[in-house]
Amino acid sequence: MTEWQFLSSALSVAAPTAATDGVTETGWPLFFSSFWPLLSGAITGTIPLALISFVIGLLIALVVAIMRLSRNRFVSSIARIYISVIRGTPLLVQLFVIFYGLPSMGLTIDPWPSAIIAFSLNVGGYAAEVIRAAILSVHQGQWEAAYTIGMSRARALRRVILPQAARVSVPPLSNTFISLVKDTSLASLILVTEMFRQAQKIASFTSEFMLLYLEAALIYWLICLVLSSGQSLLEKRLDRYVAH
């Protein structure tokens, strides 16, 4: 992609578009008439993008965490470098490298897959350390007990250690997911149609930028309140099975 094409793509965010669901009002009428288009963008774009990326990211994180705990220095070093790169670079840069950078190497990826790849890799880097810490928090006696009854290291990890580590990792992983939901707004910069992209379209058509962006912020906040409530309920449920 040439520099001119990049600038054209970036500036197209602010260009008027017909895809504004017929919203033409201003003020409070605009607030109410635009609420459903924005909420629809959250339901069909923001939430699915966050869920898919989080699930893939957790799978990556689990593999990387196990690699990080490996006694093999080479394997452990690869995991350490991956985590360092992900945690040491901005998510926006990672997103732009995948969507705008890879085409210069002959690999063009559509907006949605680009966003999923970037968000999944980012979640993987942060969640890997959460999972590693959760595994290390399980008492060494649990490993020894598993070995005593003839379990291999892999089976002990799968059947004994990970279920206990999962309970410990719920709060930080829940926070990671909530942060991811908010971070999906960055996908609008690579033309993914999610809630914030919808707000940009309507705002560019009506010139009510403050109103639309505050409305988008309100919806993000409501979604995060629901997720936070779900997190609290899940923690209380899991706490029943933890010995005190």
Side-chain angles (χ1 to χ4, degrees):
M1 178 176 288
T2 65
E3 181 179 358
W4 170 250
Q5 289 174 319
F6 168 81
L7 291 173
S8 298
S9 297
L11 291 174
S12 66
V13 170
T17 174
T20 55
D21 298 291
V23 178
T24 57
E25 299 93 341
T26 59
W28 284 108
L30 172 61
F31 181 90
F32 291 113
S33 63
S34 63
F35 188 83
W36 172 247
L38 295 188
L39 184 60
S40 178
I43 295 172
T44 61
T46 299
I47 295 176
L49 181 59
L51 282 173
I52 295 171
S53 300
F54 188 70
V55 170
I56 297 175
L58 280 185
L59 295 177
I60 295 173
L62 179 59
V63 173
V64 173
I66 294 174
M67 291 174 62
R68 183 76 172 79
L69 293 169
S70 173
R71 296 189 180 98
N72 186 310
R73 282 192 173 185
F74 178 72
V75 173
S76 178
S77 295
I78 292 176
R80 187 180 293 109
I81 291 171
Y82 167 74
I83 292 171
S84 178
V85 169
I86 293 298
R87 293 166 68 103
T89 57
L91 174 56
L92 181 60
V93 173
Q94 298 164 16
L95 192 63
F96 272 40
V97 165
I98 292 172
F99 185 69
Y100 291 116
L102 290 182
S104 65
M105 302 174 62
L107 181 59
T108 301
I109 305 177
D110 290 336
W112 257 86
S114 294
I116 290 174
I117 292 171
F119 293 143
S120 298
L121 291 175
N122 189 268
V123 168
Y126 282 91
E129 286 295 87
V130 172
I131 295 175
R132 182 178 73 90
I135 291 174
L136 291 175
S137 72
V138 178
H139 195 276
Q140 185 64 30
Q142 297 294 315
W143 287 99
E144 296 171 357
Y147 294 150
T148 299
I149 61 176
M151 286 188 178
S152 64
R153 180 176 174 82
R155 190 173 185 184
L157 181 65
R158 185 175 70 255
R159 299 287 298 274
V160 178
I161 305 302
L162 285 180
Q164 297 180 64
R167 296 171 190 154
V168 177
S169 63
V170 165
L173 288 180
S174 298
N175 291 334
T176 298
F177 180 67
I178 292 173
S179 295
L180 177 61
V181 170
K182 295 179 289 185
D183 288 341
T184 56
S185 61
L186 295 175
S188 64
L189 296 175
I190 62 169
L191 313 182
V192 172
T193 302
E194 41 71 66
M195 183 176 68
F196 193 65
R197 174 71 172 168
Q198 286 287 79
Q200 289 175 320
K201 288 180 179 180
I202 299 173
S204 65
F205 187 75
T206 61
S207 297
E208 293 281 352
F209 294 96
M210 178 64 77
L211 177 66
L212 268 301
Y213 292 162
L214 286 177
E215 185 172 13
L218 173 63
I219 296 176
Y220 278 118
W221 179 52
L222 293 175
I223 292 173
C224 290
L225 282 179
V226 172
L227 293 175
S228 296
S229 299
Q231 174 186 346
S232 298
L233 291 175
L234 181 58
E235 288 178 18
K236 289 180 182 178
R237 185 176 183 83
L238 291 176
D239 197 49
R240 299 178 190 173
Y241 305 101
V242 179
H244 296 284

